[in-house]
Amino acid sequence: MNNLTELFTSWHIIRWMGFMAFFFFTMSLAYGMLGRFKKFKKKKALFNWIHISSSWAGVLTVLVHMLTLLINHYQPYKVVEIFIPFTSHYMRVASALGIIAFFLFLLVVFTSDVLMSKLKRTTWKTIHLLVFPSWLFMLAHSIWMGTDTRTWWGLAVYLGATAIVLTLFAFYQWEHRKHTVSARG
């Protein structure tokens, strides 16, 4: 980079906001799972605060990521291409995965923060579990469209995040099964 202004081109803002959204949503998912572990019972309130805060930070950064596409000179998007899946002229499926991931995350965040008290617990929980396919769609979108996927550090970010999410998910499943078996026996 020749100067500091190159850091603030629309292309760089799109990239960094995409990475930030990925980071925040991964953080939200991780802390959401950590808050369910019995071992961290005393930290549940802190983990829940991080979970909620990072999910809203993810929503805001992904909105900046999406809206900056409108002013990108290299590959400009139209409003309809940003908010309606499979309408993009550029990398149609990969773009659609990002849009679908965004709306699923938004649904989860909205139902958790606005509608949770109005929904049945089972309905809320079913909607909340949409965070997992949403995160997978976001990961696929990031890897497929991300220009940094071909760098060692970009790949390290995606692999590291995947390892964290899969490990926490596996431990959560193990703890849940262990608790279910001990409750029966």
Side-chain angles (χ1 to χ4, degrees):
M1 282 179 219
N2 296 336
N3 55 42
L4 192 58
T5 58
E6 286 184 28
L7 287 175
F8 298 101
T9 64
S10 60
W11 184 69
H12 283 91
I13 293 169
I14 292 164
R15 286 174 55 217
W16 292 114
M17 289 298 106
F19 261 111
M20 291 302 297
F22 182 80
F23 169 77
F24 285 131
F25 284 134
T26 301
M27 186 178 195
S28 177
L29 185 62
Y31 276 94
M33 286 188 282
L34 282 169
R36 306 282 297 162
F37 289 116
K38 290 183 186 353
K39 180 177 183 157
F40 300 121
K41 192 175 186 177
K42 292 181 181 180
K43 298 199 183 282
K44 185 173 179 128
L46 172 63
F47 287 0
N48 193 47
W49 180 83
I50 295 169
H51 171 65
I52 292 167
S53 299
S54 57
S55 66
W56 277 108
V59 168
L60 293 175
T61 54
V62 80
L63 278 171
V64 173
H65 170 74
M66 293 166 73
L67 293 174
T68 307
L69 290 167
L70 294 171
I71 61 169
N72 185 24
H73 299 294
Y74 175 72
Q75 195 61 252
Y77 278 66
K78 296 176 183 153
V79 173
V80 71
E81 293 174 303
I82 292 172
F83 292 105
I84 300 177
F86 302 104
T87 59
S88 172
H89 66 284
Y90 180 71
M91 297 185 78
R92 184 178 313 261
V93 174
S95 292
L97 288 173
I99 296 166
I100 294 167
F102 169 70
F103 282 120
L104 287 175
F105 271 122
L106 194 60
L107 176 66
V108 169
V109 171
F110 185 76
T111 56
S112 295
D113 283 1
V114 178
L115 299 177
M116 188 174 178
S117 62
K118 294 172 178 55
L119 296 172
K120 291 181 184 176
R121 176 109 173 117
T122 54
T123 303
W124 170 81
K125 192 168 186 159
T126 300
I127 293 169
H128 208 75
L129 290 175
L130 291 173
V131 75
F132 290 104
S134 178
W135 188 84
L136 289 171
F137 290 166
M138 178 187 61
L139 176 65
H141 166 81
S142 301
I143 291 171
W144 197 345
M145 287 192 83
T147 55
D148 297 308
T149 302
R150 292 176 281 295
T151 65
W152 69 267
W153 62 268
L155 192 56
V157 166
Y158 299 135
L159 290 174
T162 301
I164 289 168
V165 169
L166 289 177
T167 300
L168 288 173
F169 185 76
F171 276 116
Y172 174 74
Q173 292 297 317
W174 176 74
E175 185 177 271
H176 181 70
R177 281 194 194 113
K178 188 172 91 171
H179 175 69
T180 305
V181 169
S182 67
R184 284 188 212 156

PDB file of all heavy atoms in Angstrom, residues 13-14 37 46 50 61 65-66 75 84 89 106 119 122 137 141 150 153-154 167 173:
ATOM      1  N   ILE A  13     -12.862  -1.874   2.792  1.00  0.00           N
ATOM      2  CA  ILE A  13     -13.941  -1.825   3.785  1.00  0.00           C
ATOM      3  C   ILE A  13     -14.817  -3.076   3.670  1.00  0.00           C
ATOM      4  O   ILE A  13     -15.182  -3.678   4.677  1.00  0.00           O
ATOM      5  CB  ILE A  13     -14.764  -0.530   3.635  1.00  0.00           C
ATOM      6  CG1 ILE A  13     -13.895   0.673   4.017  1.00  0.00           C
ATOM      7  CG2 ILE A  13     -16.028  -0.580   4.499  1.00  0.00           C
ATOM      8  CD1 ILE A  13     -14.493   2.015   3.669  1.00  0.00           C
ATOM      9  N   ILE A  14     -15.130  -3.470   2.446  1.00  0.00           N
ATOM     10  CA  ILE A  14     -15.922  -4.693   2.232  1.00  0.00           C
ATOM     11  C   ILE A  14     -15.206  -5.898   2.837  1.00  0.00           C
ATOM     12  O   ILE A  14     -15.806  -6.689   3.566  1.00  0.00           O
ATOM     13  CB  ILE A  14     -16.196  -4.922   0.732  1.00  0.00           C
ATOM     14  CG1 ILE A  14     -17.141  -3.840   0.196  1.00  0.00           C
ATOM     15  CG2 ILE A  14     -16.769  -6.320   0.476  1.00  0.00           C
ATOM     16  CD1 ILE A  14     -17.164  -3.742  -1.319  1.00  0.00           C
ATOM     17  N   PHE A  37     -22.247 -24.626  29.176  1.00  0.00           N
ATOM     18  CA  PHE A  37     -21.463 -25.627  29.903  1.00  0.00           C
ATOM     19  C   PHE A  37     -21.610 -25.450  31.406  1.00  0.00           C
ATOM     20  O   PHE A  37     -21.530 -24.332  31.926  1.00  0.00           O
ATOM     21  CB  PHE A  37     -19.974 -25.537  29.536  1.00  0.00           C
ATOM     22  CG  PHE A  37     -19.640 -26.008  28.158  1.00  0.00           C
ATOM     23  CD1 PHE A  37     -19.127 -25.131  27.221  1.00  0.00           C
ATOM     24  CD2 PHE A  37     -19.823 -27.335  27.785  1.00  0.00           C
ATOM     25  CE1 PHE A  37     -18.806 -25.565  25.949  1.00  0.00           C
ATOM     26  CE2 PHE A  37     -19.508 -27.778  26.521  1.00  0.00           C
ATOM     27  CZ  PHE A  37     -19.002 -26.890  25.598  1.00  0.00           C
ATOM     28  N   LEU A  46     -21.676 -13.274  32.138  1.00  0.00           N
ATOM     29  CA  LEU A  46     -20.651 -12.630  31.303  1.00  0.00           C
ATOM     30  C   LEU A  46     -20.666 -13.221  29.899  1.00  0.00           C
ATOM     31  O   LEU A  46     -20.648 -12.478  28.906  1.00  0.00           O
ATOM     32  CB  LEU A  46     -19.259 -12.803  31.929  1.00  0.00           C
ATOM     33  CG  LEU A  46     -18.079 -12.344  31.065  1.00  0.00           C
ATOM     34  CD1 LEU A  46     -18.149 -10.843  30.803  1.00  0.00           C
ATOM     35  CD2 LEU A  46     -16.763 -12.745  31.712  1.00  0.00           C
ATOM     36  N   ILE A  50     -21.419 -11.296  26.316  1.00  0.00           N
ATOM     37  CA  ILE A  50     -20.523 -11.350  25.155  1.00  0.00           C
ATOM     38  C   ILE A  50     -21.265 -11.938  23.951  1.00  0.00           C
ATOM     39  O   ILE A  50     -21.143 -11.438  22.832  1.00  0.00           O
ATOM     40  CB  ILE A  50     -19.244 -12.156  25.468  1.00  0.00           C
ATOM     41  CG1 ILE A  50     -18.415 -11.446  26.535  1.00  0.00           C
ATOM     42  CG2 ILE A  50     -18.411 -12.380  24.200  1.00  0.00           C
ATOM     43  CD1 ILE A  50     -17.271 -12.279  27.111  1.00  0.00           C
ATOM     44  N   THR A  61     -21.785  -4.939  11.514  1.00  0.00           N
ATOM     45  CA  THR A  61     -20.650  -4.999  10.583  1.00  0.00           C
ATOM     46  C   THR A  61     -21.042  -5.652   9.267  1.00  0.00           C
ATOM     47  O   THR A  61     -20.563  -5.247   8.210  1.00  0.00           O
ATOM     48  CB  THR A  61     -19.431  -5.713  11.190  1.00  0.00           C
ATOM     49  OG1 THR A  61     -19.813  -6.994  11.672  1.00  0.00           O
ATOM     50  CG2 THR A  61     -18.799  -4.892  12.296  1.00  0.00           C
ATOM     51  N   HIS A  65     -20.739  -4.149   5.556  1.00  0.00           N
ATOM     52  CA  HIS A  65     -20.159  -5.002   4.507  1.00  0.00           C
ATOM     53  C   HIS A  65     -21.071  -5.028   3.276  1.00  0.00           C
ATOM     54  O   HIS A  65     -20.625  -4.813   2.150  1.00  0.00           O
ATOM     55  CB  HIS A  65     -19.967  -6.411   5.079  1.00  0.00           C
ATOM     56  CG  HIS A  65     -19.612  -7.472   4.100  1.00  0.00           C
ATOM     57  ND1 HIS A  65     -18.359  -7.586   3.538  1.00  0.00           N
ATOM     58  CD2 HIS A  65     -20.351  -8.504   3.598  1.00  0.00           C
ATOM     59  CE1 HIS A  65     -18.339  -8.636   2.730  1.00  0.00           C
ATOM     60  NE2 HIS A  65     -19.534  -9.209   2.741  1.00  0.00           N
ATOM     61  N   MET A  66     -22.357  -5.253   3.502  1.00  0.00           N
ATOM     62  CA  MET A  66     -23.312  -5.370   2.396  1.00  0.00           C
ATOM     63  C   MET A  66     -23.553  -4.018   1.708  1.00  0.00           C
ATOM     64  O   MET A  66     -23.550  -3.941   0.479  1.00  0.00           O
ATOM     65  CB  MET A  66     -24.637  -5.932   2.918  1.00  0.00           C
ATOM     66  CG  MET A  66     -24.542  -7.369   3.393  1.00  0.00           C
ATOM     67  SD  MET A  66     -25.971  -7.906   4.361  1.00  0.00           S
ATOM     68  CE  MET A  66     -27.215  -8.051   3.079  1.00  0.00           C
ATOM     69  N   GLN A  75     -16.769  -4.180  -8.474  1.00  0.00           N
ATOM     70  CA  GLN A  75     -17.892  -5.099  -8.681  1.00  0.00           C
ATOM     71  C   GLN A  75     -19.118  -4.541  -7.948  1.00  0.00           C
ATOM     72  O   GLN A  75     -19.496  -5.049  -6.901  1.00  0.00           O
ATOM     73  CB  GLN A  75     -17.521  -6.486  -8.156  1.00  0.00           C
ATOM     74  CG  GLN A  75     -18.416  -7.606  -8.607  1.00  0.00           C
ATOM     75  CD  GLN A  75     -18.423  -7.786 -10.102  1.00  0.00           C
ATOM     76  OE1 GLN A  75     -19.412  -7.468 -10.747  1.00  0.00           O
ATOM     77  NE2 GLN A  75     -17.346  -8.275 -10.658  1.00  0.00           N
ATOM     78  N   ILE A  84     -31.678  -9.872  -1.849  1.00  0.00           N
ATOM     79  CA  ILE A  84     -32.487 -10.985  -2.347  1.00  0.00           C
ATOM     80  C   ILE A  84     -31.553 -12.064  -2.908  1.00  0.00           C
ATOM     81  O   ILE A  84     -30.813 -11.821  -3.861  1.00  0.00           O
ATOM     82  CB  ILE A  84     -33.497 -10.523  -3.417  1.00  0.00           C
ATOM     83  CG1 ILE A  84     -34.437  -9.474  -2.800  1.00  0.00           C
ATOM     84  CG2 ILE A  84     -34.282 -11.708  -3.970  1.00  0.00           C
ATOM     85  CD1 ILE A  84     -35.430  -8.880  -3.733  1.00  0.00           C
ATOM     86  N   HIS A  89     -25.486 -10.745 -10.040  1.00  0.00           N
ATOM     87  CA  HIS A  89     -24.848 -11.071 -11.321  1.00  0.00           C
ATOM     88  C   HIS A  89     -23.439 -11.620 -11.102  1.00  0.00           C
ATOM     89  O   HIS A  89     -22.854 -12.191 -11.995  1.00  0.00           O
ATOM     90  CB  HIS A  89     -24.802  -9.819 -12.204  1.00  0.00           C
ATOM     91  CG  HIS A  89     -23.899  -8.753 -11.652  1.00  0.00           C
ATOM     92  ND1 HIS A  89     -24.272  -7.959 -10.582  1.00  0.00           N
ATOM     93  CD2 HIS A  89     -22.653  -8.387 -11.994  1.00  0.00           C
ATOM     94  CE1 HIS A  89     -23.277  -7.129 -10.304  1.00  0.00           C
ATOM     95  NE2 HIS A  89     -22.286  -7.365 -11.135  1.00  0.00           N
ATOM     96  N   LEU A 106     -30.076 -12.613  11.448  1.00  0.00           N
ATOM     97  CA  LEU A 106     -30.975 -11.535  11.853  1.00  0.00           C
ATOM     98  C   LEU A 106     -32.228 -12.095  12.527  1.00  0.00           C
ATOM     99  O   LEU A 106     -32.682 -11.569  13.548  1.00  0.00           O
ATOM    100  CB  LEU A 106     -31.347 -10.680  10.635  1.00  0.00           C
ATOM    101  CG  LEU A 106     -31.989  -9.341  10.907  1.00  0.00           C
ATOM    102  CD1 LEU A 106     -31.075  -8.449  11.739  1.00  0.00           C
ATOM    103  CD2 LEU A 106     -32.316  -8.656   9.588  1.00  0.00           C
ATOM    104  N   LEU A 119     -42.566 -15.741  22.498  1.00  0.00           N
ATOM    105  CA  LEU A 119     -42.534 -17.056  21.853  1.00  0.00           C
ATOM    106  C   LEU A 119     -42.524 -18.176  22.889  1.00  0.00           C
ATOM    107  O   LEU A 119     -42.020 -18.005  23.997  1.00  0.00           O
ATOM    108  CB  LEU A 119     -41.274 -17.183  20.981  1.00  0.00           C
ATOM    109  CG  LEU A 119     -41.153 -16.250  19.790  1.00  0.00           C
ATOM    110  CD1 LEU A 119     -39.767 -16.388  19.171  1.00  0.00           C
ATOM    111  CD2 LEU A 119     -42.218 -16.539  18.758  1.00  0.00           C
ATOM    112  N   THR A 122     -39.901 -23.728  23.115  1.00  0.00           N
ATOM    113  CA  THR A 122     -39.514 -24.677  22.068  1.00  0.00           C
ATOM    114  C   THR A 122     -39.429 -23.984  20.702  1.00  0.00           C
ATOM    115  O   THR A 122     -38.546 -24.304  19.909  1.00  0.00           O
ATOM    116  CB  THR A 122     -40.498 -25.855  21.992  1.00  0.00           C
ATOM    117  OG1 THR A 122     -41.826 -25.354  21.842  1.00  0.00           O
ATOM    118  CG2 THR A 122     -40.402 -26.740  23.222  1.00  0.00           C
ATOM    119  N   PHE A 137     -23.302 -21.365   6.296  1.00  0.00           N
ATOM    120  CA  PHE A 137     -23.500 -20.601   5.048  1.00  0.00           C
ATOM    121  C   PHE A 137     -22.529 -19.430   4.989  1.00  0.00           C
ATOM    122  O   PHE A 137     -21.968 -19.126   3.939  1.00  0.00           O
ATOM    123  CB  PHE A 137     -24.932 -20.092   4.929  1.00  0.00           C
ATOM    124  CG  PHE A 137     -25.970 -21.147   4.679  1.00  0.00           C
ATOM    125  CD1 PHE A 137     -27.310 -20.847   4.835  1.00  0.00           C
ATOM    126  CD2 PHE A 137     -25.638 -22.432   4.292  1.00  0.00           C
ATOM    127  CE1 PHE A 137     -28.296 -21.797   4.613  1.00  0.00           C
ATOM    128  CE2 PHE A 137     -26.608 -23.402   4.062  1.00  0.00           C
ATOM    129  CZ  PHE A 137     -27.940 -23.080   4.224  1.00  0.00           C
ATOM    130  N   HIS A 141     -19.712 -18.848   2.222  1.00  0.00           N
ATOM    131  CA  HIS A 141     -19.685 -17.566   1.505  1.00  0.00           C
ATOM    132  C   HIS A 141     -18.299 -16.931   1.623  1.00  0.00           C
ATOM    133  O   HIS A 141     -17.735 -16.464   0.629  1.00  0.00           O
ATOM    134  CB  HIS A 141     -20.758 -16.634   2.083  1.00  0.00           C
ATOM    135  CG  HIS A 141     -20.625 -15.205   1.672  1.00  0.00           C
ATOM    136  ND1 HIS A 141     -21.078 -14.739   0.453  1.00  0.00           N
ATOM    137  CD2 HIS A 141     -20.103 -14.135   2.321  1.00  0.00           C
ATOM    138  CE1 HIS A 141     -20.832 -13.438   0.375  1.00  0.00           C
ATOM    139  NE2 HIS A 141     -20.238 -13.052   1.491  1.00  0.00           N
ATOM    140  N   ARG A 150      -7.106 -17.324  -0.168  1.00  0.00           N
ATOM    141  CA  ARG A 150      -5.881 -17.876  -0.749  1.00  0.00           C
ATOM    142  C   ARG A 150      -4.617 -17.459   0.007  1.00  0.00           C
ATOM    143  O   ARG A 150      -3.533 -17.881  -0.334  1.00  0.00           O
ATOM    144  CB  ARG A 150      -5.781 -17.485  -2.215  1.00  0.00           C
ATOM    145  CG  ARG A 150      -6.862 -18.161  -3.058  1.00  0.00           C
ATOM    146  CD  ARG A 150      -6.869 -17.738  -4.508  1.00  0.00           C
ATOM    147  NE  ARG A 150      -7.484 -16.469  -4.812  1.00  0.00           N
ATOM    148  CZ  ARG A 150      -8.773 -16.148  -4.677  1.00  0.00           C
ATOM    149  NH1 ARG A 150      -9.604 -17.030  -4.198  1.00  0.00           N
ATOM    150  NH2 ARG A 150      -9.234 -14.970  -5.024  1.00  0.00           N
ATOM    151  N   TRP A 153      -2.982 -16.493   6.159  1.00  0.00           N
ATOM    152  CA  TRP A 153      -3.690 -15.992   7.334  1.00  0.00           C
ATOM    153  C   TRP A 153      -5.204 -16.072   7.166  1.00  0.00           C
ATOM    154  O   TRP A 153      -5.915 -16.323   8.144  1.00  0.00           O
ATOM    155  CB  TRP A 153      -3.230 -14.575   7.688  1.00  0.00           C
ATOM    156  CG  TRP A 153      -3.494 -13.552   6.617  1.00  0.00           C
ATOM    157  CD1 TRP A 153      -2.646 -13.169   5.611  1.00  0.00           C
ATOM    158  CD2 TRP A 153      -4.694 -12.810   6.434  1.00  0.00           C
ATOM    159  NE1 TRP A 153      -3.248 -12.227   4.815  1.00  0.00           N
ATOM    160  CE2 TRP A 153      -4.507 -11.986   5.309  1.00  0.00           C
ATOM    161  CE3 TRP A 153      -5.896 -12.746   7.114  1.00  0.00           C
ATOM    162  CZ2 TRP A 153      -5.485 -11.125   4.837  1.00  0.00           C
ATOM    163  CZ3 TRP A 153      -6.880 -11.879   6.637  1.00  0.00           C
ATOM    164  CH2 TRP A 153      -6.653 -11.081   5.521  1.00  0.00           C
ATOM    165  N   GLY A 154      -5.711 -15.869   5.941  1.00  0.00           N
ATOM    166  CA  GLY A 154      -7.149 -16.004   5.700  1.00  0.00           C
ATOM    167  C   GLY A 154      -7.597 -17.433   5.929  1.00  0.00           C
ATOM    168  O   GLY A 154      -8.606 -17.691   6.597  1.00  0.00           O
ATOM    169  N   THR A 167     -15.205 -28.025  17.910  1.00  0.00           N
ATOM    170  CA  THR A 167     -14.772 -28.537  19.213  1.00  0.00           C
ATOM    171  C   THR A 167     -15.803 -28.200  20.294  1.00  0.00           C
ATOM    172  O   THR A 167     -16.188 -29.074  21.079  1.00  0.00           O
ATOM    173  CB  THR A 167     -13.389 -27.955  19.595  1.00  0.00           C
ATOM    174  OG1 THR A 167     -12.444 -28.336  18.588  1.00  0.00           O
ATOM    175  CG2 THR A 167     -12.939 -28.463  20.959  1.00  0.00           C
ATOM    176  N   GLN A 173     -22.284 -31.431  22.928  1.00  0.00           N
ATOM    177  CA  GLN A 173     -23.047 -32.663  22.698  1.00  0.00           C
ATOM    178  C   GLN A 173     -22.660 -33.741  23.700  1.00  0.00           C
ATOM    179  O   GLN A 173     -23.514 -34.446  24.228  1.00  0.00           O
ATOM    180  CB  GLN A 173     -22.839 -33.170  21.258  1.00  0.00           C
ATOM    181  CG  GLN A 173     -23.445 -32.285  20.200  1.00  0.00           C
ATOM    182  CD  GLN A 173     -24.947 -32.188  20.327  1.00  0.00           C
ATOM    183  OE1 GLN A 173     -25.645 -33.172  20.565  1.00  0.00           O
ATOM    184  NE2 GLN A 173     -25.476 -30.985  20.201  1.00  0.00           N
TER     185      GLN A 173
END
